[in-house]
Amino acid sequence: MPADPPRIERPDGACDAAVLFAVLTRVPDDAAQRALVAELHRVLRPGGLLQAGDHPLRPDERSRERYRRFEARHGHGVFETGDGAVCRHHTREGPDALFAAFEPAGEREPAVLTMNGRPAVATRLPLTRR
């Protein structure tokens, strides 16, 4: 992933809503995540809705082993998949800091299946731009 987030070709405050679904898990770098969220904040109008959803840290032993195996290389909660993708799962507090410029409008943690068909819990955060 490039160091700079994609530039959304819209003026400041031009969008009513944006969806960030299972994107942060593919952006393992803190600064790159902050830059991506800042770009979404820029294009959303005050009061605009950001629907964010992603995967929190998983408590199962398989996931914990992957986190341990790749921690020295990538940091906590970051791991590599068999096809070489680098992915990240957040602590529950991680998104709170990342979306500090937004007002929470609720939260859900639905049961989902991973790309490999394993059961997991996802985080869904409706957020309003301040």
Side-chain angles (χ1 to χ4, degrees), residues 26 66 69-70 79-87 115-116:
R26 290 303 315 266
R66 286 197 309 180
R69 185 170 3 131
F70 295 103
F79 60 95
E80 295 178 21
T81 63
D83 61 358
V86 178
C87 299
M115 292 184 339
N116 296 324

Side-chain angles (χ1 to χ4, degrees), residues 20-34:
L20 191 63
F21 182 75
V23 173
L24 295 175
T25 194
R26 290 303 315 266
V27 182
D29 180 72
D30 287 339
Q33 284 193 356
R34 286 190 302 272

Side-chain angles (χ1 to χ4, degrees), residues 20-52:
L20 191 63
F21 182 75
V23 173
L24 295 175
T25 194
R26 290 303 315 266
V27 182
D29 180 72
D30 287 339
Q33 284 193 356
R34 286 190 302 272
L36 175 62
V37 171
E39 180 65 359
L40 290 169
H41 188 271
R42 181 190 69 77
V43 299
L44 283 170
R45 67 167 172 75
L49 179 68
L50 173 60
Q51 178 65 48

